[in-house]
């Protein structure tokens, strides 16, 4: 996602900034920009759409000779398209205050209209620029106010998340930083400081870092730094020594991107649902599909298409949208849909699900629907991707780049958004406020519940170790957890290269049961839900044939241990939301299983992250 680098010290700022921002390229981004101080007390800024190399093409010899303080940013679009105007840094009206911002200012619209009335002019569509003008406004109202104080007051006024670096042309000997639920650290060098959203940008210069905590600010000069909270309490924090190399730093200290992305799932869900639930009225506000809300009210059927893990997220959506959205749904593998001569009817809506937004088969399915004049929607992670651009409307996932080839955080985010969509459609039809509130409240708790599962990673690793000798696995689930069984099997085969099959547990008697013996373990997803008893019967059948069983069960269900001792407990939640929890242990199981086999789980053989060919 977005990356920030800031520098103040004895060196010329620009080369350090560009070098630093390049080490954040792995995070994915769509545009870049910098602002540096100059000897004349003016800040110079340049921006470019696309790669950092495009920005470098714009750098002239004289830019490199500019001052010793500056900020630099790579943007992953959230509010506003991928344009130079929307790229950071953003400035106030006078071009004195320049800032780079990661995160989302949720109530920026309230401020934007008020600031516009007061004469501020905006050059971009971003929430971040509003912050620059808000700081300017505090300074205008009280010209004696120090910039750091204006920043503090502005941050106290807004609601949202931020990692922030600010440069003031009137005070180029100082750099200001702030953090709230968006990472930011300060690299402490010899007569220099480097602010960064990610340790990889700092490591080349220093291994000494000070981490900012949420709700904290820092003011840096080349020789000193002070940290304080938004109530102005001073914070004395010692620097820590990083023991990582650059590659490890990019993985946030985790051995693999896949693990990092599984650990990020609670945050990813928060980012996907943030600002989209109007709790009191039990309503869902999805900005990207506001314009087609009326068409959705009259929709008669939803067709969902996707590939791989995205298809399986869509399959969970099929159950949710029918049960709670009150609308018939058909889920299709995009690669089949494109050749099937599908029959569309009046009132059909095509929904494509894709992390990358570039999958060739999904694009072809979308094209088929568009050609027939069907309203098309997308659930997409990569902002500005082809699917995002070609659908009539859509919902962005906001989970940041997913680098591990096997999709993890994108899956749970897609399921969470499908839950939001189900409530939205349900409310347009006959869902009560009470039911909508129940679902949205429970959805908001999912990140906390996920954290409890993630804590069991070591226990899951032990199970993965115990089951290492096996080369065949059956994954079984019913109803909402049937797609989860398919996803569990897909994850295991993708990264471990062992044979794994997912089945609806009800289908077991029609074939898979023939394979069961002591060398063929089953992983059963059996939370305490409406089909629990049926799952128990299936497990008894497996046990009767000496098949080893791992079960995913609901916390408190001790009785299940009479069937097998290999139990992974997940917290209780609404049945429709259990896939969000049940899939996490399966992702962790596949991850540990692959690592224990000594495989490169981030780049499994023969697979690609984004399949842009048929
Ligand atoms: C590839 C990836 C999968 C992913 C699928 C669909 O096969 O390895 O992890 O689920 O493509 O990708 P999309 O970007 O459309 O979600």
């Amino acid at each position: 996602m977005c990356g920030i680098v800031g520098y103040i010290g004895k060196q010329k700022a620009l080369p350090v900034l560009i070098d630093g921002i390049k080490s954040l390229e792995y995070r994915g981004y769509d545009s870049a920009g910098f602002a540096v101080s100059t000897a004349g007390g003016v800040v110079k800024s340049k921006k470019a759409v696309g790669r950092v190399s495009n920005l470098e093409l714009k750098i002239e010899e004289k830019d490199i000779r500019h001052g010793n303080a500056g900020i630099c940013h790579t943007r992953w679009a959230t509010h506003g398209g991928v344009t130079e105007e929307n790229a950071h840094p953003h400035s106030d009206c006078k071009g004195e205050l320049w800032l780079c911002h990661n995160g989302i200012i949720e109530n920026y619209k309230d401020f934007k209209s008020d600031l516009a009335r007061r004469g501020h002019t905006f050059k971009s569509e971003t929430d971040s620029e509003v912050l620059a003008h808000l700081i300017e406004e505090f300074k205008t109202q009280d010209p004696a106010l120090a910039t750091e104080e204006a920043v503090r007051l502005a941050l106290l006024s807004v609601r949202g998340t931020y990692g922030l670096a600010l440069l003031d042309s009137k005070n180029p000997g100082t750099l200001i930083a702030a953090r709230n639920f968006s990472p930011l650290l300060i690299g402490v060098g010899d007569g220099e400081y480097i602010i960064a959203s990610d340790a990889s940008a700092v490591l080349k210069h220093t291994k000494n870092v000070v981490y900012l905590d949420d709700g904290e600010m820092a003011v840096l000069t080349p020789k000193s730094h002070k940290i304080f909270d938004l109530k102005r309490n001073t914070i004395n924090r010692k620097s820590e020594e990083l023991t990582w190399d650059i590659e490890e730093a990019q993985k946030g200290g985790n051995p693999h991107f896949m693990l990092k992305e599984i650990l990020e799932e609670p945050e990813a869900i928060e980012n996907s649902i943030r600002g989209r639930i109007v709790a009191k009225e039990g309503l869902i506000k999805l900005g990207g599909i506001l314009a087609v809300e009326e068409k959705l009210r009259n929709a008669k059927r939803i067709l969902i298409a996707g590939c791989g893990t995205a298809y399986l997220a869509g399959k969970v959506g099929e159950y949710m949208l029918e049960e709670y959205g009150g609308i018939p749904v058909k889920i299709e593998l995009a690669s089949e849909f494109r050749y099937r001569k599908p029959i569309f009817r009046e009132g059909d809506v095509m929904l494509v699900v894709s992390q990358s937004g570039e999958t060739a088969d999904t694009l072809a399915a979308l094209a088929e629907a568009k050609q027939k004049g069907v309203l098309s929607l997308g659930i997409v992670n990569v902002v500005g991707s082809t699917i995002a651009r070609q659908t009539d409307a859509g919902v962005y996932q906001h989970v940041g780049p997913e680098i591990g080839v096997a999709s993890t955080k994108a899956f749970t985010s897609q399921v969470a958004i499908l839950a939001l969509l189900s409530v939205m459609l349900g409310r347009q039809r006959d869902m009560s406020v009470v039911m909508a509130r129940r679902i949205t409240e429970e959805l908001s708790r999912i990140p906390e519940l996920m954290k409890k599962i993630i804590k069991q990673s070591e226990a899951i690793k032990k199970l993965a170790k115990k089951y290492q000798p096996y080369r065949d696995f059956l994954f079984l689930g019913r109803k909402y957890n049937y797609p989860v069984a398919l996803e569990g099997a897909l994850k295991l085969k993708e990264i471990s290269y062992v044979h794994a099959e997912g089945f609806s547990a009800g289908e077991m008697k029609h074939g898979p049961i023939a394979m069961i013996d002591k060398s063929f373990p089953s992983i059963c997803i059996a939370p305490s839900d409406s089909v629990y008893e049926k799952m128990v019967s299936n497990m008894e059948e497996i046990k009767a044939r000496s098949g080893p069983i791992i079960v995913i069960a609901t916390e408190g269900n001790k009785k299940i241990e009479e069937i097998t001792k290999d139990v992974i407990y997940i917290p209780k939640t609404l049945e429709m939301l259990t896939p969000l929890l049940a899939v996490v242990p399966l992702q962790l199981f596949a991850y540990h299983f692959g690592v224990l086999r000594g495989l490169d789980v981030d780049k499994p053989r023969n697979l690609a992250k984004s399949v842009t060919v048929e």
Side-chain angles (χ1 to χ4, degrees):
M1 244 178 164
C2 303
I4 291 180
V5 183
Y7 178 82
I8 190 156
K10 52 196 176 189
Q11 303 184 56
K12 293 291 179 198
L14 191 54
V16 182
L17 294 174
I18 297 293
D19 194 45
I21 211 74
K22 277 186 177 166
S23 52
L24 301 187
E25 284 192 285
Y26 79 98
R27 296 163 64 103
Y29 63 98
D30 45 50
S31 48
F34 68 81
V36 284
S37 63
T38 68
V42 180
V43 164
K44 294 276 182 205
S45 171
K46 285 187 176 164
K47 305 177 186 183
V49 166
R51 318 296 298 170
V52 172
S53 53
N54 295 355
L55 182 64
E56 283 184 288
L57 288 176
K58 292 189 166 184
I59 296 177
E60 299 164 64
E61 190 56 40
K62 65 175 189 314
D63 293 328
I64 297 166
R65 289 195 300 271
H66 285 325
N68 305 81
I71 53 178
C72 195
H73 191 259
T74 41
R75 175 172 187 251
W76 168 275
T78 55
H79 291 72
V82 180
T83 61
E84 249 178 55
E85 291 73 32
N86 288 337
H88 300 217
H90 291 289
S91 76
D92 62 352
C93 296
K94 297 194 273 299
E96 286 177 9
L97 302 168
W98 290 81
L99 61 81
C100 295
H101 166 228
N102 287 354
I104 297 172
I105 303 298
E106 285 169 19
N107 54 349
Y108 78 103
K109 280 195 181 140
D110 306 346
F111 289 104
K112 192 167 182 174
S113 40
D114 187 47
L115 288 164
R117 266 195 302 279
R118 290 169 187 272
H120 290 260
T121 51
F122 296 90
K123 299 178 210 73
S124 78
E125 305 157 275
T126 64
D127 51 331
S128 311
E129 188 191 357
V130 174
L131 203 51
H133 290 273
L134 188 58
I135 298 166
E136 179 183 34
E137 183 58 29
F138 275 108
K139 287 186 65 114
T140 309
Q141 282 178 20
D142 179 0
L145 203 65
T147 303
E148 64 180 76
E149 188 55 10
V151 171
R152 190 184 72 85
L153 293 174
L155 294 180
L156 279 173
S157 319
V158 298
R159 194 176 65 240
T161 55
Y162 47 81
L164 190 77
L166 182 135
L167 179 66
D168 175 2
S169 67
K170 296 273 171 257
N171 198 357
T174 304
L175 215 54
I176 297 173
R179 167 194 163 131
N180 198 39
F181 296 103
S182 186
L184 207 69
L185 54 91
I186 304 165
V188 185
D190 179 13
E192 58 183 4
Y193 286 96
I194 303 153
I195 308 171
S197 52
D198 182 319
S200 7
V202 164
L203 276 166
K204 262 195 200 167
H205 304 272
T206 176
K207 292 216 159 193
N208 284 330
V209 297
V210 180
Y211 291 95
L212 282 189
D213 274 342
D214 294 332
E216 290 181 356
M217 285 180 63
V219 176
L220 314 166
T221 69
K223 296 225 162 70
S224 69
H225 72 273
K226 62 172 179 182
I227 301 176
F228 50 95
D229 65 17
L230 293 187
K231 290 188 186 127
R232 280 205 221 105
N233 296 310
T234 302
I235 289 154
N236 295 310
R237 186 168 299 135
K238 290 213 173 76
S239 63
E240 297 172 35
E241 197 183 324
L242 287 174
T243 49
W244 305 337
D245 61 25
I246 290 196
E247 209 198 307
E248 278 172 322
Q250 292 182 337
K251 291 173 188 154
N254 294 296
H256 301 98
F257 281 112
M258 184 179 175
L259 182 61
K260 174 176 178 260
E261 286 155 7
I262 295 172
L263 302 184
E264 277 171 359
E265 284 184 88
E267 193 191 335
I269 299 289
E270 272 166 16
N271 287 339
S272 295
I273 65 174
R274 179 177 295 119
R276 291 173 162 172
I277 297 170
V278 187
K280 209 162 133 224
E281 287 103 12
L283 292 174
I284 302 300
K285 199 176 71 189
L286 297 167
I289 55 175
L290 221 59
V292 298
E293 246 184 40
E294 270 323 293
K295 286 191 181 160
L296 287 177
R297 196 181 294 278
N298 300 319
K300 301 218 163 44
R301 182 172 74 146
I302 296 186
L303 300 156
I304 309 180
C307 296
T309 293
Y311 160 78
L312 294 172
K315 203 159 174 58
V316 178
E318 181 183 36
Y319 285 79
M320 286 175 169
L321 281 159
E322 288 209 329
E323 188 169 358
Y324 292 95
I327 187 164
V329 182
K330 200 160 185 290
I331 170 85
E332 300 269 0
L333 282 165
S335 52
E336 286 297 315
F337 187 81
R338 63 184 295 184
Y339 292 118
R340 261 202 32 220
K341 285 208 177 299
I343 297 166
F344 293 100
R345 301 188 216 131
E346 172 116 21
D348 275 352
V349 174
M350 179 85 194
L351 170 63
V352 286
V353 184
S354 174
Q355 187 284 131
S356 64
E358 302 294 349
T359 302
D361 285 326
T362 313
L363 268 164
L366 172 63
E368 185 70 28
K370 282 177 76 83
Q371 205 231 335
K372 301 274 164 59
V374 171
L375 174 70
S376 60
L377 306 182
I379 297 179
V380 174
N381 190 33
V382 178
V383 175
S385 57
T386 312
I387 293 178
R389 281 183 280 118
Q390 291 189 354
T391 38
D392 295 314
V395 188
Y396 278 127
Q397 298 183 229
H398 296 318
V399 302
E402 193 181 61
I403 293 168
V405 166
S407 187
T408 52
K409 65 175 177 177
F411 173 82
T412 38
S413 149
Q414 286 157 353
V415 171
I417 289 170
L418 283 157
L420 291 179
L421 211 53
S422 303
V423 176
M424 187 187 136
L425 264 71
R427 291 288 285 135
Q428 287 181 333
R429 288 163 178 79
D430 58 4
M431 184 187 284
S432 66
V433 188
V434 177
M435 175 55 87
R437 272 202 215 134
R438 227 180 125 213
I439 297 173
T440 52
E441 274 166 21
E442 197 58 23
L443 185 58
S444 309
R445 280 181 64 223
I446 291 290
E448 277 315 306
L449 303 184
M450 273 179 165
K451 285 180 194 164
K452 285 176 118 180
I453 302 169
I454 285 169
K455 279 195 189 134
Q456 300 177 56
S457 182
E458 273 310 303
I460 295 169
K461 185 176 173 181
K462 276 194 191 131
L463 273 181
K465 206 167 192 173
K466 175 173 169 186
Y467 282 81
Q468 274 295 298
Y470 297 96
R471 287 294 167 268
D472 300 285
F473 286 85
L474 195 59
F475 284 73
L476 296 169
R478 281 174 184 257
K479 205 175 168 183
Y480 282 102
N481 287 302
Y482 163 43
V484 175
L486 298 179
E487 174 60 6
L490 180 64
K491 279 289 87 77
L492 189 62
K493 64 185 144 206
E494 272 180 310
I495 58 174
S496 293
Y497 320 148
V498 299
H499 167 228
E501 283 192 60
F503 266 93
S504 139
E507 277 294 294
M508 204 179 68
K509 55 188 173 293
H510 299 296
I513 199 165
M515 300 186 292
I516 300 293
D517 63 18
K518 63 178 182 342
S519 66
F520 204 124
S522 299
I523 301 191
C524 299
I525 303 135
S528 305
D529 60 10
S530 65
V531 286
Y532 173 70
E533 296 301 336
K534 305 275 172 206
M535 283 302 299
V536 171
S537 306
N538 292 128
M539 286 186 274
E540 295 288 8
E541 287 158 14
I542 296 168
K543 200 177 166 194
R545 287 159 183 81
S546 308
I549 300 173
I550 298 177
V551 61
I552 313 289
T554 303
E555 266 171 17
N557 179 7
K558 287 286 163 211
K559 218 168 151 35
I560 198 82
E561 291 175 25
E562 290 168 16
I563 298 180
T564 176
K565 291 281 173 266
D566 295 336
V567 188
I568 305 169
Y569 286 106
I570 59 170
K572 175 116 195 97
T573 186
L574 288 181
E575 179 172 286
M576 71 177 285
L577 302 178
T578 48
L580 289 167
L581 302 182
V583 78
V584 180
L586 303 185
Q587 294 167 342
L588 284 166
F589 183 81
Y591 168 75
H592 290 304
F593 203 96
V595 172
L596 286 164
R597 290 201 70 197
L599 301 171
D600 182 354
V601 294
D602 281 341
K603 293 193 203 76
R605 70 182 181 204
N606 309 339
L607 297 177
K609 182 68 191 155
S610 178
V611 186
T612 53
V613 290
E614 217 193 319

